[in-house]
Amino acid sequence: MIKTINLKKLYITEEIETTALNNISLEIQQGEFVSIMGPSGCGKSTLLNILGMLDSPSAGAYLFEGEDISRMNERQRAALRKKNIGFVFQSFNLIDELTVFENVELPLLYLGLSPRERQERVEDILKQMEIIHRRKHYPQQLSGGQQQRVAVGRALVSQPKVIFADEPTGNLDSAHGDEVMRLLTSLNKKGTTIVMVTHSPMYAEYGHRTIHLFDGQMVGVNVQDALKI
């Protein structure tokens, strides 16, 4: 599903050239749950942004379902991203002025679905996330765990093939963090591919394998038996 070949990312200023990613070659199969770990500044989020088509590499190739993303322009990447990818962020990135329902509905507006289809999809997702009773509430009226459930629902409502999660438990206490991980694991068991950046070795073990980065390079891969939830 996902394949990178000698992927590089450079940041160049007048005074310095910084290598954020150096010769990253990896493959992620459909239905996998892959964790990415490494110290701060090692390139985890940069890699996730490139895989999620939010950024482009400086060199190398990135294939998504056989298509070379590194050769696409921004408009082409955006169209592919809307159809195939959902994002979950550490800071939730919900819009305070919109209700729970409206936050989850937002991606569907960009897809041009009818009001009836949008309502059916959003209500179905909110039921799955067990947050339907909060549909008219605003983000600031929810707990951190509830906000992340809304964020996961928003990522899922467009029925993406893969979810990229960047430190999805980073702003949560352990109880709510465990709740989000159980949710991601459940989604993966239903067929959604998950690629997650995390600092937590415990949460990394929820995945099928863990890719370790250091100074922009892959330094190891651990294959583990995913925790049974």
Side-chain angles (χ1 to χ4, degrees):
M1 183 181 196
I2 290 172
K3 182 177 182 179
T4 70
I5 304 170
N6 296 329
L7 207 66
K8 293 185 179 182
K9 182 64 179 181
L10 304 176
Y11 293 104
I12 301 173
T13 66
E14 293 181 358
E15 298 179 353
I16 192 171
E17 178 179 292
T18 302
T19 301
L21 296 174
N22 190 18
N23 291 327
I24 301 293
S25 296
L26 59 83
E27 291 190 45
I28 297 172
Q29 304 300 322
Q30 184 172 349
E32 271 198 285
F33 188 151
V34 176
S35 304
I36 300 174
M37 290 193 69
S40 296
C42 72
K44 302 187 300 296
S45 293
T46 300
L47 177 59
L48 205 70
N49 286 340
I50 291 175
L51 297 181
M53 305 180 202
L54 297 174
D55 197 0
S56 55
S58 303
Y62 169 30
L63 307 179
F64 185 88
E65 295 197 316
E67 295 191 63
D68 191 347
I69 307 304
S70 53
R71 296 182 180 273
M72 291 184 177
N73 60 36
E74 174 53 33
R75 179 176 294 182
Q76 292 170 319
R77 290 201 306 269
L80 196 63
R81 186 170 62 235
K82 289 177 184 177
K83 294 179 181 178
N84 295 284
I85 292 173
F87 295 94
V88 180
F89 301 98
Q90 175 179 344
S91 56
F92 315 139
N93 284 5
L94 301 178
I95 299 175
D96 290 339
E97 293 77 19
L98 300 182
T99 64
V100 165
F101 185 97
E102 291 167 339
N103 266 283
V104 175
E105 181 187 31
L106 197 57
L108 302 182
L109 295 175
Y110 298 127
L111 292 177
L113 300 184
S114 69
R116 181 175 180 177
E117 187 172 359
R118 294 201 306 268
Q119 181 174 350
E120 290 176 352
R121 280 213 204 179
V122 173
E123 290 183 350
D124 181 58
I125 285 294
L126 292 179
K127 288 175 183 176
Q128 289 184 46
M129 299 298 104
E130 299 181 357
I131 200 78
I132 186 69
H133 61 294
R134 297 282 195 174
R135 65 194 303 275
K136 295 183 180 180
H137 287 70
Y138 291 89
Q140 297 306 314
Q141 296 174 304
L142 307 178
S143 69
Q146 289 172 331
Q147 290 187 57
Q148 195 60 296
R149 279 184 172 270
V150 176
V152 173
R154 181 184 57 192
L156 279 176
V157 75
S158 59
Q159 300 174 350
K161 295 179 180 179
V162 57
I163 288 181
F164 292 102
D166 194 355
E167 293 284 358
T169 63
N171 283 337
L172 302 175
D173 59 31
S174 59
H176 287 126
D178 292 347
E179 175 185 332
V180 168
M181 292 309 305
R182 286 194 293 269
L183 180 58
L184 292 177
T185 302
S186 175
L187 295 173
N188 177 247
K189 288 180 177 179
K190 294 176 182 177
T192 304
T193 304
I194 308 285
V195 182
M196 178 185 70
V197 162
T198 181
H199 277 102
S200 168
M202 179 180 69
Y203 289 148
E205 290 184 0
Y206 280 73
H208 302 135
R209 59 191 171 110
T210 302
I211 295 171
H212 295 272
L213 298 184
F214 187 79
D215 286 347
Q217 299 184 73
M218 284 180 58
V219 294
V221 179
N222 291 344
V223 178
Q224 61 254 352
D225 293 326
L227 295 179
K228 305 303 180 184
I229 305 301

